[in-house]
Amino acid sequence: MLSYAIVFLIIALVAALFGFGGIASASAGIAQILFFVFLVLFVGALVLRVLRR
């Protein structure tokens, strides 16, 4: 999931570089959502690991 967020971030940066503001904004938004989902899942996995021990 983190790799998808990085891919969308790169797409957003390239689109912004070429002046496609709408595509850059959408890709950055998707990358941000995927990154936060990754963080939530990561923290959840850490909590479950601590609770199992």
Side-chain angles (χ1 to χ4, degrees), residues 1-14 27 31 34:
M1 184 149 323
L2 185 60
S3 62
Y4 290 143
I6 292 170
V7 167
F8 277 108
L9 180 64
I10 291 171
I11 290 171
L13 291 173
V14 170
S27 295
L34 287 175

Side-chain angles (χ1 to χ4, degrees), residues 15-39:
L17 181 69
F18 290 121
F20 298 112
I23 296 172
S25 174
S27 295
I30 292 171
Q32 186 177 11
I33 290 169
L34 287 175
F35 181 72
F36 285 125
V37 168
F38 167 77
L39 282 180

